[in-house]
Amino acid sequence: MRAFEKAPPDVQEILTKPIKELGLKLEGSPLERLVQQLYRELERKGLSRFRPLCYLSDEWGCPSGEPVIGIPFYLADPKLARLEKAMNDLEDRHEIMMYLRHEAGHAFNYAYALYRTPEWRDLFGPFRRPYRDGYRPVPFSRQFVRHIAGWYAQKHPDEDFAETFAVWLTPRSRWRERYKGWGAMAKLRYVDRMARRLRSAEPVRPQGHTDITVEEMETTVEDFY
């Protein structure tokens, strides 16, 4: 509540408004150029047919099995971004791109149904393994890439793939040098091989269903926080 009290007037005036009435759009927002950067990175990797839909939602996410990317709504508006920064940690440009590449990994996995194949399961593990928020990573394990903090690739096979894809996609990541001799190299080579194989192929699931969109968020800004 202190952050609300100290918020400038232009922020305080939106606190009681339902989020869906704020008119937030990805198009024309500071996020649009970052989404376009993601698409350019995919293009440079030869993935000409893969363009996951990005939309504003309540948090980062890619609904399971759906090749779409949800982005937190507060990143689309400077006033909301200031409020988020006061209440929590606001993602900077570098972190936003990290999350976009990670979620693109999930979307790529779902778009081409890679998780259903024996080779994917052999490398990453069972896709249907129970998903637990609490997990015990093995620090400094070389069986997994290192991207998002907290050894996030070790959380679940699906997260392992998404993190591997993100490292592979990141410009100038020099993954062949950085992960030489690591167990994670087999996973990186798999992503590279699948990308080359599918570069001109239409996705098995070209469109997906979104989770909650910003147009559906009835809660007020104040209640959200």
Side-chain angles (χ1 to χ4, degrees):
M1 293 305 294
R2 290 179 182 176
F4 291 164
E5 294 169 359
K6 294 180 180 180
D10 63 335
V11 173
Q12 290 189 17
E13 70 182 13
I14 65 173
L15 292 176
T16 58
K17 290 186 177 181
I19 293 170
K20 71 177 186 178
E21 294 182 7
L22 297 179
L24 300 174
K25 301 290 183 184
L26 194 153
E27 296 78 10
S29 77
L31 284 169
E32 185 176 24
R33 61 187 178 86
L34 300 182
V35 171
Q36 291 303 318
Q37 179 178 332
L38 172 69
Y39 292 163
R40 286 194 299 271
E41 292 177 5
L42 293 170
E43 181 70 30
R44 291 190 192 109
K45 287 289 191 176
L47 296 174
S48 60
R49 301 291 184 177
F50 174 61
R51 292 295 178 275
L53 169 70
C54 294
Y55 66 101
L56 297 179
S57 188
D58 58 347
E59 62 181 352
W60 287 105
C62 189
S64 184
E66 306 293 343
V68 295
I69 299 175
I71 305 174
F73 68 93
Y74 55 77
L75 292 171
D77 181 84
K79 289 183 289 187
L80 290 168
R82 292 204 303 272
L83 180 58
E84 175 68 18
K85 187 174 183 179
M87 300 297 291
N88 301 301
D89 291 326
L90 180 68
E91 300 94 319
D92 60 22
R93 180 185 178 281
H94 174 71
E95 291 170 319
I96 291 172
M97 289 308 305
M98 288 180 68
Y99 289 130
L100 281 174
R101 294 176 188 121
H102 173 91
E103 300 302 344
H106 285 302
F108 184 72
N109 191 16
Y110 305 153
Y112 291 97
L114 298 177
Y115 62 94
R116 297 177 182 173
T117 65
E119 185 176 12
W120 193 97
R121 289 194 296 271
D122 289 343
L123 279 170
F124 298 98
F127 180 78
R128 298 300 179 188
R129 197 182 82 187
Y131 204 102
R132 299 183 178 89
D133 287 332
Y135 64 104
R136 293 184 179 181
V138 179
F140 307 109
S141 171
R142 292 195 166 197
Q143 299 304 312
F144 304 88
V145 298
R146 298 172 189 173
H147 182 63
I148 292 177
W151 321 106
Y152 200 66
Q154 299 184 42
K155 185 172 186 176
H156 187 273
D158 197 17
E159 302 299 350
D160 189 6
F161 178 85
E163 286 287 84
T164 304
F165 183 93
V167 167
W168 169 84
L169 182 62
T170 302
R172 298 177 296 280
S173 66
R174 298 167 56 188
W175 58 268
R176 289 184 177 86
E177 299 175 28
R178 182 181 177 187
Y179 291 97
K180 185 177 181 179
W182 288 40
M185 179 59 79
K187 300 173 184 177
L188 285 160
R189 286 175 174 160
Y190 168 81
V191 170
D192 190 59
R193 188 168 65 254
M194 290 300 103
R196 292 175 187 276
R197 180 181 301 175
L198 300 169
R199 61 192 311 164
S200 299
E202 290 289 345
V204 175
R205 187 172 175 79
Q207 297 180 340
H209 298 294
T210 61
D211 202 346
I212 185 171
T213 67
V214 72
E215 292 83 7
E216 299 169 322
M217 296 179 67
E218 299 182 351
T219 185
T220 66
V221 174
E222 185 174 24
D223 286 342
F224 178 84
Y225 283 100

